[in-house]
Amino acid sequence: VMFTRQEAEGKRLRNPFDTITEGIGINRETSNFKLAQIDSAFQGTDREAVEMAAYLMRNDGLFVGSSAAMNCVGAVKLARSLGPGKVVVTILCDGGQRHLSKFQNPDYLQNHSLAAQHQGQQLDFVM
């Protein structure tokens, strides 16, 4: 997850309500980010993260949180842009246990029109 100028400190609410993926990203530019040479970045949606978490549980038995799900969404987007024959690695940086009240709560997701809909082994929910 990378800093973006659009998300810079003072440009967004302290506790934004436009996403259920809490704690992803950073709203200030740190020294290590200033040194990084970034080629590009991908954005993901709540829908993609929720669908990815459900996909990982259904197909791989992995119970992940929103950050890990979003990392996998980014990995799929990168893999598609690189094409066949490449290896993409990501980190599953959080488990789903700490996300039981929102991101991993079926009732909460349903109330926000985000209940997982896709089934099977296809990743067509990643745009």
Side-chain angles (χ1 to χ4, degrees):
V1 176
M2 185 52 60
F3 167 85
T4 63
R5 303 243 181 275
Q6 298 90 320
E7 302 290 326
E9 199 167 6
K11 293 187 179 180
R12 283 188 47 104
L13 298 172
R14 180 173 171 83
N15 297 305
F17 297 102
D18 61 345
T19 181
I20 65 162
T21 53
E22 300 174 270
I24 296 179
I26 188 167
N27 66 353
R28 65 188 184 289
E29 190 171 15
T30 60
S31 297
N32 59 334
F33 282 178
K34 288 177 185 177
L35 298 174
Q37 294 179 349
I38 308 299
D39 295 326
S40 64
F42 297 99
Q43 290 184 324
T45 65
D46 283 346
R47 163 70 52 205
E48 289 172 315
V50 167
E51 295 291 352
M52 182 59 76
Y55 172 91
L56 292 170
M57 178 58 121
R58 183 175 60 252
N59 292 292
D60 299 309
L62 297 170
F63 186 54
V64 301
S66 59
S67 294
M70 195 60 80
N71 282 357
C72 290
V73 167
V76 169
K77 291 180 180 193
L78 176 62
R80 287 178 179 163
S81 73
L82 294 175
K86 304 292 192 278
V87 175
V88 176
V89 177
T90 191
I91 296 173
L92 301 181
C93 52
D94 62 343
Q97 196 67 19
R98 297 177 100 183
H99 296 265
L100 296 176
S101 66
K102 291 184 181 179
F103 186 74
Q104 287 290 359
N105 181 327
D107 293 333
Y108 181 87
L109 294 174
Q110 185 66 40
N111 289 338
H112 288 81
S113 301
L114 287 170
Q117 300 170 351
H118 293 270
Q119 300 296 318
Q121 297 180 329
Q122 301 302 315
L123 292 167
D124 56 343
F125 56 86
V126 178
M127 302 297 160

